[in-house]
């Protein structure tokens, strides 16, 4: 277990040279304080969690004192936002401090978000709100708890300064960990400014750092593209099966490692509705739940365009044709697990299609439906029937489902246990998150942030001892979203 001063820093991105970033230190802030430290994230980088208690922790991660060994930089990138190319994005308010390897050899980017304007800030203040920082912090934990690749966060640091959004509100900094901060938009930036050699260097950097097993192959760039395509397909299949809506799938929010990245107006689906997006700014529903897979393909096509000096357009097209089949394969596997079925044939596909139809028609809570399903084919629990205006829809679907279970003839106890480790009992419903944010902003009470962090790190199981220590009433957190808060929508800047 290392102290903050003992980190073994690496700076492989820094070594790419100044075309790729602006070197800059974080700006000091007034009166920083710790809001929450995440021991699970500390373990990822081999940091002793006792370090959260040292005054230096807050000093270092607020920018008020240089963190020994860090070499902060703001990355240059661009990207497509809502389908339109924006040539000037870049890290306007975040800095990559460097990379830290833990004992197991896995390397994490350590990144500070909200630490003052960089040369990419375009007139914005370079700061982050407490509200947005809490959302990203807990969003990452919830998504990780579901077994979906994502950034994590080490800590939230509050600051004694207001930030001005739609209203003045408390500011904060977020210490983010990610396997990579290189985005599709990083490649686009160099491609559209006609710097193919920089695209090549970035591709080589990604190969060396993340896919060394491909780096020696003659067709390494094609294999890189294929791997990113598959990882992206797998990621989005995960989102779809969990009912997660990213909300802002711009190409600057997609990494070359296929992880959930940049938590803005994201959400988990309440009642099954493919047209839903929690992003209020997205009037046309470009990033709605039911369009995420298609947008993944669109974004990959944009990444592919940047590689045309390395791979022929014909090969890129061929690779892209594998996206939808790959997505379908991953998605069917995941839905099979959710339904406790192994035979993924056309009858299975029909069953899933019919299920979505009845869930939509009856406006049933997506998460709770699957959680309750593990009791079937025993006694149909009353909870499963809840929410069905038309119980006949459920009965005819259950008949079909029963047949597919029977043809596999599983051990029912084992099946139930396995399904309950796939279908969560607790998800980060936006109203729960808003309650935690409210308490933090209005009363400077951060206990609900901690509670949700603890709860969501294992969303599948009741843990009575831990729950009683943190004052978690499981029934309350597992409940359906109250009517007044269903399909809550958020603006990008709120
Ligand atoms: P995001 O919506 O967080 O993906 O950010 C989109 C772009 O806006 C990125 O280039 C950010 O660095 C920049 N940005 C967002 N908020 C701020 C801010 N408060 N100050 C400076 N840049 C920002
Ligand atoms: Mg972004």
């Amino acid at each position: 277990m290392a102290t903050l001063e003992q980190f073994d820093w690496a700076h492989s991105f820094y070594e790419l040279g100044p075309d790729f970033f602006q070197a800059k230190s974080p700006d000091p802030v007034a009166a920083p304080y710790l809001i929450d430290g995440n021991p699970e994230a500390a373990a990822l980088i081999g940091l002793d969690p006792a370090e959260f208690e040292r005054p230096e922790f807050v000093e270092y991660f607020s920018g008020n004192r240089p963190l020994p060994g860090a070499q902060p930089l703001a990355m240059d990138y661009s990207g497509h936002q809502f389908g339109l190319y924006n040539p000037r994005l870049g890290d306007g308010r975040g800095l990559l401090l460097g990379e830290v390897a833990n004992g197991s050899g896995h390397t994490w980017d350590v990144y500070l978000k909200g630490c003052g304007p960089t040369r990419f800030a375009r007139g914005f203040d370079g700061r982050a709100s407490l509200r947005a920082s809490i959302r990203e912090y807990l969003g990452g934990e919830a998504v990780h708890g579901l077994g979906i690749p994502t950034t994590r966060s080490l800590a939230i640091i509050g600051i004694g300064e207001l930030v001005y959004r739609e209203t003045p509100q408390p500011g904060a900094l977020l210490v983010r960990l990610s396997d990579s901060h290189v985005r599709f938009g990083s490649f686009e930036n160099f491609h559209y400014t006609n710097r193919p050699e920089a695209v090549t260097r970035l591709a080589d950097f990604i190969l060396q750092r993340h896919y060394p097993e491909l780096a020696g192959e003659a067709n390494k760039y094609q294999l890189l593209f294929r791997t990113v395509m598959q990882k992206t397909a797998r990621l989005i299949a995960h989102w779809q099966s969990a009912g997660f809506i990213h909300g802002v799938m711009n190409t600057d929010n997609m990494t070359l490692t296929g992880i959930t990245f940049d938590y803005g107006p994201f959400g988990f689906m309440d009642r099954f509705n493919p047209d839903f997006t929690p992003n209020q700014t997205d009037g046309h529903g470009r990033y709605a739940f039911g369009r995420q897979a298609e947008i993944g393909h669109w974004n990959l096509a944009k990444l592919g365009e940047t590689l045309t000096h390395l791979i022929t357009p014909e090969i890129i097209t061929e690779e892209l044709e594998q996206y939808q089949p790959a997505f379908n394969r991953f998605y069917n596997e995941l839905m099979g697990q959710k339904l406790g079925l192994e035979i993924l044939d056309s009858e299975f596909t029909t069953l899933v299609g019919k299920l979505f139809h009845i869930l939509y028609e009856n406006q049933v809570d997506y998460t709770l439906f699957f959680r309750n399903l593990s009791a079937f084919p025993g006694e149909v629990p009353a909870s499963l029937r809840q929410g069905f205006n038309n119980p006949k829809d459920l009965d005819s679907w259950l008949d079909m489902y029963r047949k597919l279970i029977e043809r596999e003839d599983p051990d029912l106890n084992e099946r139930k246990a396995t399904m309950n480790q796939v279908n969560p009992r607790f998800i980060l419903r936006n109203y729960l998150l808003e309650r935690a944010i409210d308490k933090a902003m209005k009363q400077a009470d951060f206990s609900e942030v901690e509670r949700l962090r603890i709860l969501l790190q294992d969303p599948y199981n009741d843990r009575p001892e831990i729950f009683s220590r943190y004052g978690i009433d499981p029934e309350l957190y597992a409940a359906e979203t109250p009517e007044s808060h269903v399909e809550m929508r958020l603006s990008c800047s709120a």
Side-chain angles (χ1 to χ4, degrees):
M1 287 287 183
T3 64
L4 292 163
E5 293 81 3
Q6 288 168 339
F7 273 150
D8 193 7
W9 288 98
H11 298 287
S12 66
F13 194 86
Y14 203 97
E15 285 155 22
L16 282 171
D19 281 354
F20 291 80
F21 58 82
Q22 175 201 12
K24 180 191 181 287
S25 299
D27 293 341
V29 289
Y33 58 98
L34 184 68
I35 288 184
D36 197 46
N38 182 356
E40 274 201 15
L44 296 176
I45 51 172
L47 179 71
D48 185 343
E51 293 290 284
F52 290 130
E53 309 306 325
R54 286 175 58 201
E56 288 87 346
F57 185 88
V58 156
E59 292 284 296
Y60 289 144
F61 287 113
S62 61
N64 284 1
R65 190 196 286 215
L67 177 56
Q71 286 188 21
L73 61 88
M75 290 170 148
D76 195 357
Y77 60 83
S78 61
H80 280 81
Q81 298 179 304
F82 294 92
L84 296 176
Y85 185 62
N86 185 339
R88 283 177 39 146
L89 288 169
D91 286 325
R93 54 168 164 179
L95 296 170
L96 175 66
L97 302 180
E99 304 132 37
V100 171
N102 65 9
S104 70
H106 189 98
T107 302
W108 291 89
D109 281 5
V110 182
Y111 185 97
L112 199 54
K113 191 165 176 177
C115 49
T118 70
R119 86 159 133 97
F120 307 110
R122 297 170 285 140
F124 297 115
D125 63 4
R127 293 293 176 196
S129 65
L130 174 57
R131 122 181 298 283
S133 304
I134 293 174
R135 288 184 59 81
E136 173 146 6
Y137 184 77
L138 291 176
E141 292 315 287
V143 167
H144 171 74
L146 294 168
I148 305 175
T150 177
T151 56
R152 306 289 296 277
S153 297
L154 180 66
I156 310 177
I157 315 274
I159 63 176
E161 296 175 22
L162 294 176
V163 298
Y164 296 85
R165 297 294 180 261
E166 282 152 16
T167 51
Q169 48 177 291
L173 290 110
L174 186 74
V175 189
R176 174 162 82 185
L177 305 182
S178 183
D179 57 2
S180 175
H181 280 81
V182 177
R183 310 133 190 269
F184 290 12
S186 311
F187 281 73
E188 290 177 284
N189 177 43
F190 295 108
H191 175 70
Y192 291 115
T193 50
N194 209 9
R195 288 179 283 175
E197 69 297 337
V199 174
T200 309
R201 291 195 60 201
L202 208 50
D204 287 333
F205 168 80
I206 294 290
L207 279 163
Q208 255 161 37
R209 173 144 176 223
H210 300 288
Y211 309 112
E213 68 283 6
L214 307 180
E217 300 292 326
N219 59 345
K220 60 184 177 181
Y221 300 116
Q222 180 182 356
L223 294 177
L224 171 65
F225 186 62
R226 181 182 300 170
T227 305
V228 175
M229 185 269 287
Q230 286 187 339
K231 286 194 172 235
T232 305
R234 187 192 290 271
L235 173 71
I236 299 173
H238 263 296
W239 291 351
Q240 296 309 113
S241 72
F244 176 80
I245 308 130
H246 181 285
V248 201
M249 289 177 69
N250 292 337
T251 55
D252 62 302
N253 293 338
M254 312 277 299
T255 72
L256 272 282
T257 50
I259 63 168
T260 314
F261 187 86
D262 250 13
Y263 288 80
F266 71 91
F268 285 90
M269 197 144 61
D270 297 304
R271 297 166 181 172
F272 182 78
N273 175 9
D275 296 330
F276 175 62
T277 172
N279 186 348
Q280 208 170 57
T281 323
D282 183 13
H284 297 290
R286 178 181 170 87
Y287 299 142
F289 177 74
R291 292 198 62 194
Q292 295 190 117
E294 173 197 337
I295 292 292
H297 183 274
W298 194 93
N299 288 344
L300 283 160
K302 292 295 160 202
L303 176 65
E305 276 179 36
T306 73
L307 301 175
T308 39
H309 62 296
L310 298 171
I311 327 172
T312 65
E314 291 73 27
I315 290 181
I316 290 169
T317 305
E318 265 171 44
E319 292 293 333
L320 280 171
E321 280 165 7
Q322 295 308 309
Y323 171 82
Q324 192 63 42
F327 173 84
N328 291 347
R329 203 168 52 246
F330 294 136
Y331 183 64
N332 275 346
E333 274 169 25
L334 292 165
M335 291 312 290
Q337 289 167 16
K338 282 182 88 65
L339 289 163
L341 294 172
E342 284 178 7
I343 303 174
L344 310 176
D345 59 1
S346 61
E347 287 188 68
F348 167 80
T349 310
T350 308
L351 181 84
V352 174
K354 287 224 158 88
L355 174 60
F356 288 155
H357 184 72
I358 64 164
L359 290 181
Y360 179 69
E361 289 291 317
N362 289 272
Q363 303 209 345
V364 173
D365 186 274
Y366 182 76
T367 304
L368 294 182
F369 178 83
F370 278 100
R371 181 71 182 192
N372 290 329
L373 203 58
S374 66
F376 189 76
E379 188 82 355
V380 179
S383 50
L384 190 62
R385 293 203 170 281
Q386 261 167 28
F388 278 90
N389 311 327
N390 188 355
K392 279 204 190 113
D393 281 354
L394 177 64
D395 289 330
S396 65
W397 185 81
L398 285 176
D399 283 344
M400 205 174 151
Y401 183 36
R402 182 183 283 110
K403 286 192 194 110
L404 295 200
I405 298 170
E406 282 169 358
R407 89 178 160 166
E408 294 186 12
D409 193 22
D411 176 317
L412 292 180
N413 285 332
E414 221 173 86
R415 174 172 176 278
K416 180 174 182 174
T418 312
M419 280 175 75
N420 281 343
Q421 296 310 305
V422 174
N423 296 306
R425 175 155 147 79
F426 310 106
I427 54 163
L428 185 56
R429 295 176 188 270
N430 260 326
Y431 88 96
L432 294 173
L433 184 47
E434 285 303 308
R435 213 174 52 182
I437 291 169
D438 242 36
K439 277 195 173 178
M441 282 176 53
K442 293 187 181 144
Q443 299 159 34
D445 174 354
F446 310 121
S447 60
E448 196 58 26
V449 172
E450 180 181 51
R451 227 169 264 134
L452 287 175
R453 164 170 62 76
I454 298 286
L455 178 77
L456 295 166
Q457 284 174 344
D458 177 0
Y460 301 106
N461 299 300
D462 276 54
R463 291 168 291 160
E465 234 171 81
I466 291 176
F467 287 3
S468 91
R469 188 179 333 143
Y470 289 95
I472 295 170
D473 172 0
E475 297 308 322
L476 203 74
Y477 289 91
E480 201 172 334
T481 302
E483 185 66 41
S484 54
H485 291 78
V486 167
E487 298 198 343
M488 187 185 271
R489 289 161 64 108
L490 304 125
S491 87
C492 274
S493 61

